[in-house]
Amino acid sequence: MNIATWLERAGLSHPDRPAIGYGTRVARSYGELSGRAGRLAGALRAQCGLSPGERVAIFAKNSPDYMEALYAIWHAGLAAVPVNAKLHGRELAYILEQSGARVCFVSKDLETAAAAHAPATLQRLITIGSREHEQLFAADRVAVAARSDDDLAWLFYTSGTTGRPKGAMLTHKVLAWASHAYLGEVDQTVAGDAVLHAAPMSHGSGMYIMPHVARLGINVIPESGAFEPDEIFELVRRWPRTSMFAAPTMIKRLTESAADCDPANIRTIIWGGAPMYVEDAVRALDRFGPRFAQIYGQGEAPMTITTLTKEDIADRNDPRWAERLGSAGRPYACVEVMVADGEGRPLPVGETGEICARGDVVMPGYWQNPDATAKALQNGWLLTGDVGAFDAQGYLTLKDRSKDVIISGGSNVYPREVEEVLLKHDRVREVSVIGRPDTEWGEIVVAYVVGDVGAEDLDRLCLDEIARFKRPKDYVFVEQLPKNNYGKILKTELREKDTRRA
Ligand code: AMP
């Protein structure tokens, strides 16, 4: 079934109910949203000449128009390619080209960057809010396109260790299961409940749009387009029973904010995407009360591998409470989770290995990337690249990331991608990028460099090439890098050395 059907039904049955809140006001009712998405879908088909299955990108910060474009794309039977608004124009260009998107919606602030790097494959860049965009709504509404469960709905780009982003293919079925899993196990939702998209909708927060549309909830978008505790607290006051997804660093900012907040209106704050220190979780609970849930997932099984429920997090009397808080919870009902040895065999309780997942919420593969697909999906299992262990009660604890991914402020930074940029400097002989634990950001990006060059030059190079959040926050200049007999750089040793330096 086409995931857009849920919006069409809401538009028919409850046209006057609010669908989108923008800041403190209602931006679209369900009737308006459904009507506009249907007309925009008509324009994508008739005026842009797109056929079902084609990809349409969105490069924008969260906004009501973003959500409208997303639904128009699905309504027309197309697949959405939401691109992280923090990416550099060059990075966007790669995704546009790889996905084969012929049309891209872009917000005004990102128009120049997108246009400057637009690949030849892109035929139309539609600036949100422009006359061209508004005129599209004059098109005739089309019926919701018939789609099968296995048709592509969302290409979710994640960077790989190779540095090139890979498009996890999320089908209509994957999105439906992720939505059911949310409603059934993370956060019961009734009509009129709000969800605040304070984190990018191109990523995890976007997965919570669909369940709220299914339940006639209100998708609330902060006007600032950023994560500002003052604004979030104001919106929590305004909107009833508000839930939100937040990375651990964001929760820390909410907890430490001096601004006043009455938590009574907060339904659930869901954390995930990176490890949360137990101490920070306890402080957050002390301030906001038992209103937290945790999810563990990845783009390839979006937000849906394990969950630590609100009840588990609230149960301070349980002797294992602190241990539980440090875990990622139990598998969702719809997914099998296995901790495997190097040969793909299940390991006994307590033993650490690679976390693997199987079920309808797992992607069928990466878009036009059979090599990466073959590595990630083996014998029907998704190899997450995360390392962890189950305890005797079935709770999963994540130990480490096998992939050397740096998670800084909730965003993933892949070392190889940064290394490739730094190596473009002709005075850089060798480089290795690692994460350094940091109380504010979770981790910060640190570059170890061999070469006669200054940090300022390298910083400028990064500004020209990659998103700001991926730039190293510290450069360490060394004579040589630790290597094994085959000449491979030993990142583990480098991390240990880095810890000793501190
Ligand atoms: P992404 O595909 O960008 O959503 O990143 C997914 C990765 O984030 C996972 O493979 C984990 O390494 C990490 N991650 C996600 N959720 C959690 C969590 N609850 N605790 C610790 N790490 C997490």
Side-chain angles (χ1 to χ4, degrees), residues 158 203 272-275 294-300 384 386 398 401 407 412:
T158 65
H203 229 75
Q294 182 194 178
I295 61 91
Y296 157 58
Q298 54 177 207
E300 292 81 349
T384 63
D386 293 316
L398 302 184
R401 282 148 290 154
I407 301 184
N412 284 8

Side-chain angles (χ1 to χ4, degrees), residues 156-159 203-204 248 271-276 294-300 303 305-306 327-328 384-386 398 400-401 403 405 407 410-412 414:
F156 190 110
Y157 273 87
T158 65
S159 291
H203 229 75
W271 86 70
M276 172 95 140
Q294 182 194 178
I295 61 91
Y296 157 58
Q298 54 177 207
E300 292 81 349
M303 312 292 264
I305 297 176
T306 64
S327 85
T384 63
D386 293 316
L398 302 184
D400 205 351
R401 282 148 290 154
K403 301 186 229 166
V405 179
I407 301 184
S411 293
N412 284 8
Y414 291 85

Side-chain angles (χ1 to χ4, degrees), residues 175-461:
L175 298 186
W177 273 106
S179 303
H180 296 317
Y182 174 82
L183 294 173
E185 298 185 54
V186 179
D187 199 23
Q188 285 181 357
T189 304
V190 297
D193 284 354
V195 62
L196 191 59
H197 294 288
M201 297 200 301
S202 59
H203 229 75
S205 202
M207 291 297 140
Y208 293 164
I209 296 174
M210 293 77 74
H212 284 85
V213 167
R215 300 294 292 132
L216 298 165
I218 312 170
N219 282 276
V220 177
I221 296 158
E223 271 179 299
S224 72
F227 192 92
E228 296 298 342
D230 290 19
E231 185 184 26
I232 286 168
F233 293 155
E234 189 199 347
L235 295 179
V236 163
R237 266 193 297 279
R238 160 68 177 90
W239 300 99
R241 288 179 39 89
T242 302
S243 289
M244 77 183 96
F245 172 74
T249 36
M250 296 171 172
I251 295 190
K252 205 167 169 196
R253 281 184 60 199
L254 290 182
T255 308
E256 287 168 0
S257 161
D260 193 37
C261 175
D262 174 5
N265 247 350
I266 301 178
R267 185 163 42 119
T268 311
I269 300 177
I270 301 113
W271 86 70
M276 172 95 140
Y277 294 110
V278 172
E279 227 178 80
D280 291 338
V282 174
R283 263 195 238 120
L285 278 163
D286 287 344
R287 170 141 196 209
F288 298 105
R291 294 182 165 79
F292 291 88
Q294 182 194 178
I295 61 91
Y296 157 58
Q298 54 177 207
E300 292 81 349
M303 312 292 264
T304 319
I305 297 176
T306 64
T307 179
L308 187 66
T309 63
K310 247 164 122 163
E311 293 75 28
D312 271 336
I313 293 177
D315 192 4
R316 290 190 183 218
N317 294 326
D318 189 309
R320 293 195 200 90
W321 179 67
E323 203 180 304
R324 293 264 154 89
L325 266 192
S327 85
R330 301 184 313 134
Y332 284 88
C334 65
V335 66
E336 285 176 85
V337 180
M338 160 174 83
V339 170
D341 65 11
E343 309 295 318
R345 287 178 304 233
L347 285 167
V349 160
E351 285 195 29
T352 299
E354 181 161 16
I355 300 164
C356 304
R358 182 163 74 174
D360 283 330
V361 83
V362 173
M363 63 155 191
Y366 295 111
W367 176 256
Q368 296 190 341
N369 197 338
D371 292 348
T373 301
K375 279 190 199 126
L377 296 177
Q378 292 180 19
N379 303 317
W381 290 92
L382 166 71
L383 276 57
T384 63
D386 293 316
V387 171
F390 274 115
D391 69 13
Q393 286 76 41
Y395 287 76
L396 182 76
T397 296
L398 302 184
K399 306 275 178 183
D400 205 351
R401 282 148 290 154
S402 60
K403 301 186 229 166
D404 294 325
V405 179
I406 302 165
I407 301 184
S408 187
S411 293
N412 284 8
V413 180
Y414 291 85
R416 174 85 181 264
E417 201 183 355
V418 184
E419 288 161 8
E420 277 168 5
V421 170
L422 295 173
L423 283 166
K424 285 188 180 180
H425 198 288
D426 52 13
R427 293 227 174 131
V428 171
R429 287 210 303 280
E430 279 184 322
V431 65
S432 185
V433 168
I434 56 165
R436 178 188 295 162
D438 181 84
T439 47
E440 193 188 348
W441 296 98
E443 283 180 294
I444 56 166
V445 180
V446 178
Y448 273 75
V449 181
V450 181
D452 178 23
V453 58
E456 297 85 342
D457 283 0
L458 296 178
D459 200 45
R460 219 172 300 125
L461 183 63

